[in-house]
């Protein structure tokens, strides 16, 4: 009687066990990982010994499904994927190494009961991507002084990158402050002082962010300054007349005396040296100065935005000016006066000579 009772109990327990519906007791929560990282999904099941347990990749729009594994065997051939299970067979862990952007989506842990009956639970994988500045972002801008300048910066990535603007050397932005946030930087009325390099910075906390240099060029009329508006030199010696020109686009530069345009010849040598797109230094070297060359010279610059000019006066001196008349000697009837002896001594000797 006792044996029969034990058999009845075991039979009853086995019947109850076989009638239990398989369940998923645990699945990993949503995962957010960087590209190139590693992720693991764990799925714990109960009462599933007689049924296949699958991992399935579902695309973001849920239209495509890709079976990855069944029970302890991988279906796909990809060395980045691996599968392990505990000895009891209750937990199946899917691992993905070197995560790629295409790995993003939903992963289903599914118990297949029949062709029409499934039990599923899902976990979402979000792949964080570093910012990439889009090609439709501004690369350079050229505007006239007084016009509006618009610079745009757009970037992709996950999470959505935030855009900020800076200026070269952390100079103050035309909008005020050293930083401006937003996809579009507008300068309502540009001045020549606004020209230069602006930095569009995209950051979403993934990697080191992305940056693009945007060059803002401002067209403006020439501005001319003369470092030495009056400069002297003795007869028969050379002297340099200089002007500093600021303009964009680069202007045409001419030197004039008494409204006559000067050119390179035995009396003059003209040179231009561009220190930057907007800056040009120009020098008129007057050679072997004659009496008729003393007076005012005009330095003139012009571009499509306008023109400007300034005057430099060359006057006569008794003693040669150094530079450019350096290391020379001044001859007189009684001997040689070294200019390096000093202008006062030279002048004294000249006065003595003239008094004879």
């Amino acid at each position: 009687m006792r044996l029969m009772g034990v058999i009845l109990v075991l039979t009853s327990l086995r019947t109850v066990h076989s009638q239990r519906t398989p369940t998923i007791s645990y699945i990993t929560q949503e995962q957010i990982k960087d590209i190139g990282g590693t992720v693991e999904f764990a799925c714990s099941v109960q009462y599933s010994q007689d049924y296949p347990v699958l991992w399935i990749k579902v695309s973001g729009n849920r239209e495509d499904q890709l079976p990855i594994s069944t029970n302890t065997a991988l279906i796909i051939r990809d060395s980045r994927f691996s599968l392990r299970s505990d000895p009891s067979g209750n937990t199946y862990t899917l691992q993905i190494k070197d995560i790629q952007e295409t790995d993003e989506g939903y992963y289903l842990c599914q118990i297949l009961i029949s062709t029409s009956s499934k039990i599923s639970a899902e976990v979402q994988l979000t792949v964080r991507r570093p910012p990439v500045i889009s090609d439709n972002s501004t690369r350079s801008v050229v505007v006239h002084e007084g016009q509006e300048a618009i610079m745009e910066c757009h970037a992709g990535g996950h999470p959505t990158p935030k855009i900020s603007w800076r200026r070269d050397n952390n100079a103050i932005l035309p909008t005020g402050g050293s930083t401006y946030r937003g996809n579009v930087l507008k300068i309502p009325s540009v001045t020549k002082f606004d020209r230069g390099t602006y930095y569009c910075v995209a950051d979403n906390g993934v990697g080191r962010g992305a940056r693009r240099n945007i060059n803002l060029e401002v067209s403006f009329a020439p501005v001319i300054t003369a470092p030495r508006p009056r400069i002297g030199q003795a007869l028969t010696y050379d002297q340099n007349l200089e002007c500093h020109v600021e303009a964009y686009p680069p202007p045409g530069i001419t030197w004039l005396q008494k409204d006559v345009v000067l050119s390179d010849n035995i009396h003059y040598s003209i040179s231009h040296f561009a220190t930057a797109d907007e800056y040009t230094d120009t020098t008129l070297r007057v050679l072997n100065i004659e009496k008729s060359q003393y007076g005012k010279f005009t330095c003139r610059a012009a571009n499509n935005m306008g023109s400007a000019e300034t005057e430099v006066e060359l006057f006569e001196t008794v003693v040669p000016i150094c530079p450019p008349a350096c290391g020379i000697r001044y001859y007189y009837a009684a001997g040689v006066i070294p200019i390096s002896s000093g202008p006062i001594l030279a002048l004294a000797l000249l006065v003595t000579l003239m008094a004879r």
Side-chain angles (χ1 to χ4, degrees):
M1 291 294 293
R2 287 185 179 181
L3 179 60
M4 182 62 68
V6 171
I7 293 174
L8 290 174
V9 170
L10 291 175
T11 304
S12 176
L13 289 174
R14 187 174 300 170
T15 302
V16 171
H17 183 272
S18 63
Q19 290 177 349
R20 289 186 178 180
T21 303
T23 61
I24 297 175
S25 58
Y26 170 80
I27 191 167
T28 304
Q29 298 300 304
E30 178 185 3
Q31 297 290 295
I32 301 175
K33 298 291 183 178
D34 295 345
I35 282 183
T38 300
V39 67
E40 288 189 349
F41 305 124
C43 179
S44 297
V45 297
Q46 291 182 340
Y47 317 120
S48 63
Q49 290 84 347
D50 299 327
Y51 305 97
V53 178
L54 293 81
W55 276 108
I56 301 173
K57 163 74 186 311
V58 183
S59 62
N61 57 17
R62 295 182 177 273
E63 292 181 356
D64 299 323
Q65 293 192 2
L66 174 67
I68 297 174
S69 67
T70 175
N71 290 337
T72 59
L74 283 173
I75 298 174
I76 64 172
R77 294 183 178 181
D78 190 328
S79 60
R80 299 184 302 115
F81 289 74
S82 62
L83 183 71
R84 68 177 186 271
S85 61
D86 59 16
S88 64
N90 290 334
T91 300
Y92 299 87
T93 302
L94 175 67
Q95 183 186 77
I96 309 175
K97 297 179 180 179
D98 189 21
I99 297 171
Q100 304 299 310
E101 188 172 347
T102 54
D103 295 327
E104 184 170 277
Y106 294 88
Y107 289 79
L108 299 184
C109 176
Q110 188 174 92
I111 303 174
L112 186 59
I113 298 175
S114 67
T115 55
S116 59
S117 179
K118 307 170 185 176
I119 297 174
S120 301
E122 67 180 31
V123 52
Q124 183 180 4
L125 171 62
T126 300
V127 180
R128 300 203 313 169
R129 301 177 294 277
V132 177
I133 295 177
S134 306
D135 290 338
N136 61 348
S137 300
T138 305
R139 293 187 179 274
S140 63
V141 179
V142 180
V143 295
H144 294 333
E145 192 169 26
Q147 291 183 335
E148 181 183 54
I150 300 177
M151 291 175 278
E152 298 187 15
C153 187
H154 305 281
H158 187 83
T160 302
K162 294 181 179 179
I163 304 296
S164 61
W165 297 83
R166 293 184 180 275
R167 207 173 169 183
D168 197 18
N169 297 321
N170 281 327
I172 300 299
L173 292 165
T175 53
S178 60
T179 304
Y180 176 81
R181 295 191 180 279
N183 292 90
V184 181
L185 177 63
K186 288 185 179 181
I187 307 174
S189 181
V190 172
T191 71
K192 65 179 183 178
F193 303 106
D194 297 328
R195 68 187 188 275
T197 301
Y198 291 74
Y199 301 118
C200 157
V201 181
D203 184 42
N204 64 353
V206 183
R208 303 177 64 179
R211 189 178 83 168
R212 170 172 290 184
N213 299 352
I214 300 173
N215 190 47
L216 173 62
E217 286 288 2
V218 180
S219 299
F220 60 97
V223 177
I224 301 180
T225 56
R228 295 180 295 177
R230 295 186 76 250
I231 187 168
Q233 187 59 287
L235 280 168
T236 73
Y237 292 94
D238 299 351
Q239 185 55 280
N240 294 329
L241 312 183
E242 300 173 350
C243 277
H244 178 76
V245 182
E246 186 179 4
Y248 189 84
I253 300 173
T254 53
W255 283 92
L256 304 90
Q257 187 184 36
K258 299 176 182 178
D259 295 328
V260 176
V261 177
L262 305 178
S263 59
D264 287 340
N265 52 39
I266 60 173
H267 301 293
Y268 302 103
S269 176
I270 300 172
S271 61
H272 307 308
F273 180 71
T275 58
D277 287 344
E278 304 90 353
Y279 300 102
T280 304
D281 291 328
T282 178
T283 300
L284 172 67
R285 190 178 183 91
V286 186
L287 307 172
N288 300 315
I289 298 173
E290 301 174 357
K291 271 285 188 183
S292 61
Q293 291 175 301
Y294 289 115
K296 293 183 178 180
F297 292 78
T298 300
C299 174
R300 180 178 297 165
N303 62 10
N304 61 350
M305 298 297 294
S307 62
E309 61 183 41
T310 190
E311 290 184 339
V312 180
E313 183 179 0
L314 176 63
F315 62 89
E316 184 178 0
T317 62
V318 176
V319 179
I321 303 298
C322 173
C326 299
I328 62 172
R329 298 175 182 273
Y330 192 93
Y331 291 86
Y332 71 107
V336 180
I337 306 173
I339 295 303
S340 58
S341 299
I344 296 178
L345 176 58
L347 181 60
L349 292 174
L350 285 173
V351 170
T352 302
L353 175 63
M354 295 174 64
R356 291 180 178 181

